[in-house]
Amino acid sequence: MPVHDSTIADSASPVLVRFEQVYKTYDERSWVVDDLYLDIRQGEFLSLLGPSGSGKTTTLMMLAGFDAPDRGRILMDGKDISGLAAYKRDMGVVFQSYALFPHMTVAQNVAFPLNLRKVPAAETRVRVQEALALARLEGFEERRPGQLSGGQQQRVALARALVYRPRILLMDEPLGALDKALREHMQLELKAIHKQLGITFVYVTHDQDEAMTMSDRVAVFNDGKIAQIDQPQHLYTRPATRFVANFLGETNLLEGTLLSREANRACIRLDDGGLMLDAPCADKGLATDERAALAIRPENLRLAMPGEAAIAAQVIDSIFHGAHCKLRLRMAMGNELAMTYNPGSLGRPAPASGESVQLALPPEHLMILR
Ligand code: ADP
Ligand code: MG
């Protein structure tokens, strides 16, 4: 996989915002945001990715200043902003529901934040034109939101959020209401706008493809905590937990018991077939004799050569997807596996349903997870 072009710049960028042991509850019984520690770097495109209810919106609302932490601090440029009013935070916000003023024209909607801040009329005109050009809305100035498509309304919300040149743009599932083609088009445009402006973007989504496509880094949320934060390709190739492995793409998990471990590697014995394998293991808490799983992506499984260490499986079915083919397989103890491959790359005819095959586990693609 290619290395992301902003890798080096990102890790060198200073911290703009820091969440320090932040907690939030709505009902005094459970933490919706639970001991959150998060650094947001200057100029990065950071996505908060996770299932519904994992605390992404709550985190964004605390960052925007619409909600306050119950414990902990939020720092910007090293200063505590936990108690600072939203309008003093220098952040623009775009929601999934566009929240436009229906009785105002596009130009009036976009000018609104500047009017609130008493920016002179001449400067307002210039800045509104700039923001409309950025969001590709020239020619729509006099329309009202009701006369625009969903995609165009979201562009107005974007222009309105950018018009006062905030230091951070916050977006909460902004493309969620758009159809797939338009959403993919807008993803590329948002990425281009991020590059053009050079400001920090914090983007909430539950869509892993969206997060992977757009972001410099992705924070994977689970249950009010960050399960892992890293560049997209690292999350995909080196997930730290089963949750991350399964949330970003598909992963085969072969259950077993840890035989030994040292530093960042471990040896596991698989329940099915008893194969012993050595693989990277980033989980420092995982000890000898504990239950663990060997993880391998479907695209990294392959049919074994004669004599190679392998696991036996039976083909359930073989599906042609066009660009790739997929085999669903069952191991002796009943676990299902998936293997994908490029048509023509097997060097033999595709295995048929019911056929028994031997699967090789290429060592460079294995990981041991708790
Ligand atoms: P996400 O954006 O990841 O879907 P949220 O931050 O919106 O998650 O919500 C996290 C949890 O907090 C959910 O269980 C949700 O029901 C609850 N929650 C969110 N907002 C409120 C609120 N205003 N009052 C009570 N519970 C809330
Ligand atoms: Mg949400």
Side-chain angles (χ1 to χ4, degrees), residues 18 69 72-84 89:
R18 170 168 291 168
R73 303 193 301 168
I74 301 172
L75 308 174
M76 188 161 167
D77 299 319
K79 289 193 262 312
D80 192 349
I81 58 163
S82 312
L84 193 67
R89 291 194 183 193

Side-chain angles (χ1 to χ4, degrees), residues 242 254-258 268-271 290-294:
R242 288 182 191 223
L254 288 70
E255 306 295 331
T257 304
L258 217 64
I268 188 172
R269 178 188 290 140
L270 301 183
D271 297 342
E290 278 194 270
R291 299 292 296 162
L294 187 74

